[in-house]
Amino acid sequence: MLLSVIIPCFNESAVIEATVDRLREVLGEDAGKRAYEYELIFVDDGSSDDTLEKLRRAADKDACVRFVSFSRNFGKEAAMLAGLQYSSGDCAVIMDADLQHPPELIPEMVTWFEQGYDQVIAKRNRKGDKKRATLMARLYYRIVNHIVDVKMVDGIGDFRLLSRKAVNALTSMQEYNRFSKGLFSWIGFKEKIIEYENQQRVAGETKWSFKRLLSYGIDGLISFNNKPLRICFVMGGLLVIFSFVYILITLIQILMHGVDVPGYFTTICAILIIGGVQLISVGVLGEYIGRIYYEVKGRPHYLVQDTNVPGSGNSED
Ligand code: UDP
Ligand code: MG
C-alpha cells in the first residue's frame, strides 16, 4: 500500500525541516512493527523565502520527498488540488506544514482507512485559541449551516485522509472557485471522525489575516448554492409589501386629516432602508457574477515551475 502525504507550504522555511523529520520518524521503517510505503508531496505555493531550497535538499537526501513548486502564490486551495493531482497513493493525507496537524495521527488514520473508510477526518478542539476567534467561528458555522446545502463542522479542517476514490472525486471537480471544506463534505463517502488536541504553530506565523479569513468566510457562503440570491429576493418582496401597507396607511391618514408635518423622518428612514437592501442585493449579485467571470475564463488553478515528481506529465488541469 502506498500512502501519499500532501503538504502545502507557503513561506514555511522556519518549520519545514522539522516537519520532514517528524514525518519520516512517524512513517519510516523504525516507526514500529509496520512501515508503509509513502511519498511526501510538498507543494511550494510560491514561497519567497528558502522553503524550496530546503525541500530540494530534503529531496536529495530522501527519495520519498517530492516537491511541486508553483510559479507564484496561488493559495492553499490550489496547493491542495495540485497535491491531490500529483499523488499516486492508494490513499492521501492532507496536512499543514506547521505541525499544527500532528503527524502521529497518520497511522491511526491509515488503520481506519484499512477498515474501509474513504474519509478519515481529524477534528481539533479549540483549546488554546483566542476566545474571540472561537466565538466568531462558532457564530459563522451556525449561520453558514443554515444557508449552504453541505454540512460544515467547526474544528474540522483540511487534515484528513482520503481514499483514492475520494481523491479522484475531488480532482474531478474542476471548478475554479474551490472551497475545500464544502467539497469534502459534498463528495460524501464513508466518513470517520477522530479527535485530537489543538496544537499551536511550532514556528513561523499564520498566513491568515482577518481580511483573508473574511474573504474565506464569504467564499464558504457563496460557493455552494444560490440561497443568498433567494434571500435578496425574499427581502425585496417583504420590503415591497411593507412599503405598500405603509403607503396605504399614510394615504388614509392624509385623506382623513390632511397632510400633517413634513415627513422628514419617515422619508429618510425609507431611503436608508431601501438603499441598504438594494446595495446588499447588488453586492450578492456581484459576488456570483464575479465567480461566473472566473469560471468562464477556465484558467488553470495553478502553474508549476518545477517538480521532481516522476512522470509528472500528470494532469496539470
Ligand atoms: N498555505 C499555503 N498557501 C497560502 C497560505 C497558506 O499553502 O497562500 C499553507 C501554509 O504553508 C500551511 C497551511 O497552508 O501549511 C496552513 O496555513 P497557516 O498555518 O498559516 O494557517 P492556520 O493554521 O493559521 O489556519
Ligand atoms: Mg497553521
Side-chain angles (χ1 to χ4, degrees):
M1 188 197 84
L2 178 66
L3 164 73
S4 306
V5 183
I6 296 162
I7 309 125
C9 323
F10 177 49
N11 292 345
E12 299 287 6
S13 172
V15 285
I16 202 74
E17 283 157 326
T19 309
V20 177
D21 289 344
R22 272 275 282 285
L23 276 164
R24 285 175 44 191
E25 242 168 68
V26 174
L27 301 174
E29 317 257 321
D30 337 316
K33 310 170 257 31
R34 45 162 321 161
Y36 323 102
E37 267 202 68
Y38 66 95
E39 56 175 5
L40 308 178
I41 303 181
F42 290 89
V43 184
D44 166 40
D45 187 8
S47 302
S48 52
D49 60 8
D50 61 347
T51 302
L52 183 59
E53 299 317 309
K54 290 190 172 171
L55 287 176
R56 274 186 215 280
R57 240 173 288 149
D60 284 342
K61 272 192 272 173
D62 185 345
C64 294
V65 178
R66 314 267 154 84
F67 64 85
V68 178
S69 174
F70 286 178
S71 61
R72 63 167 174 86
N73 181 246
F74 282 92
K76 192 183 173 191
E77 294 289 343
M80 288 195 290
L81 176 67
L84 292 172
Q85 286 175 334
Y86 276 81
S87 73
S88 46
D90 302 296
C91 61
V93 171
I94 303 176
M95 63 174 277
D96 283 1
D98 56 8
L99 293 174
Q100 273 183 310
H101 297 162
E104 286 72 21
L105 239 56
I106 295 177
E108 189 188 339
M109 288 172 147
V110 174
T111 322
W112 287 110
F113 164 69
E114 285 168 339
Q115 287 178 27
Y117 288 94
D118 289 295
Q119 291 203 56
V120 186
I121 306 159
K123 180 172 189 274
R124 72 184 168 111
N125 56 24
R126 284 194 168 262
K127 219 168 109 185
D129 273 12
K130 292 205 191 82
K131 275 241 166 57
R132 202 178 33 148
T134 315
L135 223 71
M136 292 267 280
R138 202 165 289 158
L139 189 72
Y140 175 72
Y141 284 102
R142 233 332 126 72
I143 297 171
V144 160
N145 276 320
H146 276 294
I147 296 181
V148 301
D149 303 328
V150 294
K151 180 135 186 58
M152 295 197 223
V153 184
D154 188 13
I156 282 186
D158 305 320
F159 188 25
R160 62 181 68 215
L161 177 146
L162 300 158
S163 68
R164 179 54 33 197
K165 244 189 290 176
V167 171
N168 289 344
L170 284 170
T171 50
S172 74
M173 292 194 272
Q174 285 292 324
E175 62 211 79
Y176 187 80
N177 299 283
R178 293 180 81 80
F179 187 74
S180 283
K181 255 189 199 194
L183 296 180
F184 288 140
S185 168
W186 189 88
I187 60 169
F189 291 118
K190 229 174 129 191
E191 292 178 6
K192 170 82 194 164
I193 296 183
I194 57 179
E195 304 216 3
Y196 72 97
E197 282 281 303
N198 198 16
Q199 310 279 322
Q200 296 305 320
R201 208 171 221 291
V202 171
E205 49 192 61
T206 177
K207 276 92 201 164
W208 292 87
S209 58
F210 179 74
K211 212 172 116 204
R212 218 163 168 174
L213 268 179
L214 188 71
S215 118
Y216 184 70
I218 294 177
D219 278 342
L221 270 177
I222 303 282
S223 54
F224 269 86
N225 61 20
N226 58 0
K227 269 193 204 155
L229 285 175
R230 182 85 34 95
I231 293 174
C232 287
F233 186 73
V234 172
M235 273 201 309
L238 286 177
L239 207 72
V240 168
I241 295 171
F242 177 75
S243 322
F244 226 71
V245 173
Y246 180 74
I247 290 171
L248 212 70
I249 293 173
T250 330
L251 199 71
I252 292 170
Q253 271 179 349
I254 290 174
L255 286 180
M256 283 168 45
H257 310 292
V259 183
D260 58 13
V261 276
Y264 175 76
F265 176 71
T266 42
T267 315
I268 287 292
C269 281
I271 291 175
L272 283 180
I273 294 177
I274 294 173
V277 171
Q278 275 180 340
L279 272 183
I280 293 175
S281 308
V282 172
V284 173
L285 272 177
E287 283 287 333
Y288 281 98
I289 293 175
R291 263 143 243 258
I292 295 169
Y293 174 70
Y294 279 107
E295 295 293 345
V296 167
K297 285 189 198 222
R299 288 197 178 153
H301 293 91
Y302 55 84
L303 293 171
V304 172
Q305 177 156 302
D306 192 11
T307 171
N308 72 343
V309 178
S312 50
N314 266 1
S315 58
E316 238 183 74
D317 295 339

